[in-house]
Amino acid sequence: MEPNNNPPPPSNATHHHHDGGSTTTTCVNCGGPTAFPPPPPDPNPNYIPIRAPAVNLPPANNREIIMRTPVPQSHQIIPLTPPYHFQTPIKIIQTQNDIVQFSSSSTCLHFLGFIVSLSESIRSHKLSDHCHVSPAVLEIVEILQTLIVYIDEIPLAPQSSRYGNLAYRTWHERMSCDAESFLLRLLPLELKEASVELVPYFTDSFGNSSRIDYGTGHETNFAAWLYCLARLGVVKEEGYHALVSRVFVKYLELMRKLQVTYSLEPAGSHGVWGLDDYHFLPFIFGASQLIDHKYMKPKSIHNEDILENFANEYLYLSCIVFIKKVKKGLFAEHSPMLDDISGVPNWNKVNSGLLKMYKIEVLQKVPIMQHFLFGSIIQWKKKDNGDRGLELNEAVWKNIERFLPSW
């Protein structure tokens, strides 16, 4: 059964009206007054936010580290079993030593394995291809669509600064207030208490309301939220294809609308030396979609006809189109890394290279992972004897990969 892709009309629960009053704002859907007051005026209208500093050059040894990193492998989800001990997840990672401990743990292995499984589920498939769509997936898509409707109902705050419109804070507050009710619609009765653990992952998936920014750390939180749902059995392996082609696509639609509407700043942008200002996972999933495609090669991203006709079916092409839409100038100048990747001979190498890069550039970076959360579902684990086999296997693979092509 395929989900209805048409946006549902705003329900009474999400379309509030006042009888009048000078503090109301105008609804973009019907023109009537809304129940949501305009955001407070900018206390310093002349302030221009400073964007995150770009890294002048990528570390000299980063490319070699990525080259020698083993290609991450998929892993079956280990289901969480009762008795449950749900708790509010907390931040633990603070130092590079913490990163080393996390990256060598079974927790990191299985979370990254989940990302690989999602990537493999969409391999050689168009977004419109038939897939198993469970009631839980339909519910998640509806929740994300509701959050898109919220954007239409919360107008921009008048301000002179280009980045970080204060109305985003109103949107974020409304999303956060409704988060628990959203999740209770997803969870069976015996898992209702899991909401205390799931809500923080969910609310951290859409950017930071204080800094009014968004980046790959928030995107990773959304993947962690899906991983938690998988461990709880709310979504199952046969539904992974739909998690990418239905849920993640809707999430990407929501985040792009938030980025454009409220001018979210990139969180910790690497400037031109990064893959993208905001996202990483759609490039991984998108490259997997194009593996073994008869006609489209990595260099096809420079063909405007291909982009125009196939961006709605392939995530990688969709990302390229969006970048070209929001950035000015020559593609090779504002996105040199993506331009370089277009010279890779096939999509299989692009996909495996991006998976290695995600592990190194996202999951092993303190500025990103210091915000990652750990609880009873995604546990903070010190390396134990069970992880030593993994450590040895990685050492073996590193020696082997010295003789293999990097991408």
Side-chain angles (χ1 to χ4, degrees):
M1 177 181 175
E2 296 289 333
N4 183 1
N5 291 323
N6 296 321
S11 64
N12 292 334
T14 60
H15 199 67
H16 306 281
H17 280 179
H18 274 316
D19 293 332
S22 59
T23 61
T24 60
T25 53
T26 301
C27 176
V28 297
N29 293 316
C30 68
T34 71
F36 296 96
D42 189 343
N44 185 2
N46 296 320
Y47 168 70
I48 301 176
I50 300 175
R51 302 187 71 172
V55 177
N56 292 328
L57 287 173
N61 63 341
N62 249 27
R63 192 176 189 89
E64 184 177 352
I65 292 173
I66 293 172
M67 286 170 55
R68 293 187 176 184
T69 296
V71 178
Q73 302 297 310
S74 61
H75 286 272
Q76 281 195 324
I77 290 290
I78 299 176
L80 199 68
T81 56
Y84 304 115
H85 303 285
F86 298 120
Q87 60 194 62
T88 302
I90 60 173
K91 300 175 183 179
I92 293 179
I93 294 175
Q94 297 180 349
T95 67
Q96 188 60 36
N97 286 337
D98 294 332
I99 285 289
V100 171
Q101 186 169 305
F102 169 69
S103 63
S104 62
S105 69
S106 58
T107 295
C108 180
L109 175 76
H110 288 103
F111 174 65
L112 187 55
F114 173 69
I115 300 294
V116 179
S117 295
L118 293 181
S119 175
E120 291 179 350
S121 74
I122 197 73
R123 179 171 177 157
S124 303
H125 285 291
K126 297 184 294 185
L127 293 178
S128 62
D129 284 354
H130 175 77
C131 61
H132 172 73
V133 181
S134 67
V137 165
L138 288 173
E139 192 68 61
I140 297 171
V141 171
E142 186 176 334
I143 290 169
L144 295 173
Q145 180 59 43
T146 300
L147 295 179
I148 291 174
V149 173
Y150 287 1
I151 301 173
D152 295 328
E153 296 180 347
I154 299 174
L156 295 176
Q159 62 185 51
S160 58
S161 56
R162 177 182 174 188
Y163 294 103
N165 192 277
L166 294 176
Y168 169 73
R169 292 175 178 168
T170 303
W171 179 92
H172 197 280
E173 181 181 6
R174 185 176 177 189
M175 175 273 298
S176 299
C177 289
D178 292 345
E180 185 173 8
S181 64
F182 286 152
L183 297 188
L184 291 177
R185 286 158 47 181
L186 271 175
L187 299 174
L189 185 62
E190 66 274 15
L191 292 174
K192 295 296 184 184
E193 293 182 2
S195 63
V196 70
E197 195 151 335
L198 294 172
V199 165
Y201 289 106
F202 182 80
T203 55
D204 279 358
S205 298
F206 309 104
N208 183 276
S209 60
S210 298
R211 299 188 302 269
I212 314 185
D213 66 5
Y214 172 85
T216 52
H218 302 108
E219 180 188 67
T220 298
N221 264 303
F222 186 72
W225 181 67
L226 295 178
Y227 175 67
C228 289
L229 293 178
R231 288 210 67 197
L232 292 171
V234 176
V235 294
K236 302 184 184 299
E237 190 171 353
E238 61 266 25
Y240 284 4
H241 183 161
L243 282 185
V244 178
S245 65
R246 304 299 187 265
V247 170
F248 195 83
V249 167
K250 181 61 68 172
Y251 171 72
L252 197 57
E253 178 188 344
L254 166 62
M255 292 318 307
R256 285 175 177 167
K257 186 162 186 174
L258 283 171
Q259 290 156 24
V260 172
T261 303
Y262 300 123
S263 302
L264 302 189
E265 294 196 61
S269 170
H270 287 275
V272 298
W273 294 109
L275 184 70
D276 179 71
D277 282 343
Y278 298 102
H279 292 285
F280 204 117
L281 293 179
F283 293 94
I284 294 176
F285 301 151
S288 182
Q289 281 186 279
L290 288 161
I291 289 175
D292 297 329
H293 197 283
K294 288 184 179 180
Y295 308 110
M296 279 184 271
K297 307 300 179 186
K299 64 183 179 181
S300 297
I301 67 166
H302 302 297
N303 186 315
E304 293 298 330
D305 288 338
I306 288 178
L307 293 178
E308 181 180 349
N309 288 296
F310 297 101
N312 62 328
E313 289 284 13
Y314 296 98
L315 280 169
Y316 199 99
L317 303 183
S318 171
C319 289
I320 300 298
V321 168
F322 185 73
I323 289 171
K324 289 188 172 185
K325 177 182 176 182
V326 299
K327 291 190 174 182
K328 306 297 182 183
L330 296 175
F331 184 78
E333 293 181 356
H334 61 63
S335 302
M337 183 171 290
L338 288 170
D339 188 61
D340 287 347
I341 291 173
S342 71
V344 175
N346 60 68
W347 289 109
N348 193 52
K349 286 184 176 291
V350 173
N351 177 252
S352 61
L354 288 174
L355 283 168
K356 295 194 292 183
M357 187 176 171
Y358 183 74
K359 179 181 180 182
I360 300 300
E361 296 290 353
V362 177
L363 298 186
Q364 293 187 12
K365 294 298 182 186
V366 173
I368 295 174
M369 296 305 291
Q370 66 182 344
H371 303 293
F372 197 71
L373 301 170
F374 296 90
S376 71
I377 306 175
I378 301 179
Q379 297 180 6
W380 175 257
K381 288 185 176 181
K382 295 182 178 180
K383 188 192 303 182
D384 53 30
N385 292 333
D387 293 322
R388 293 185 68 181
L390 166 65
E391 182 184 23
L392 291 174
N393 286 337
E394 288 190 347
V396 171
W397 271 109
K398 284 182 180 180
N399 287 328
I400 293 174
E401 286 219 338
R402 292 180 184 179
F403 305 99
L404 299 177
S406 61
W407 281 76

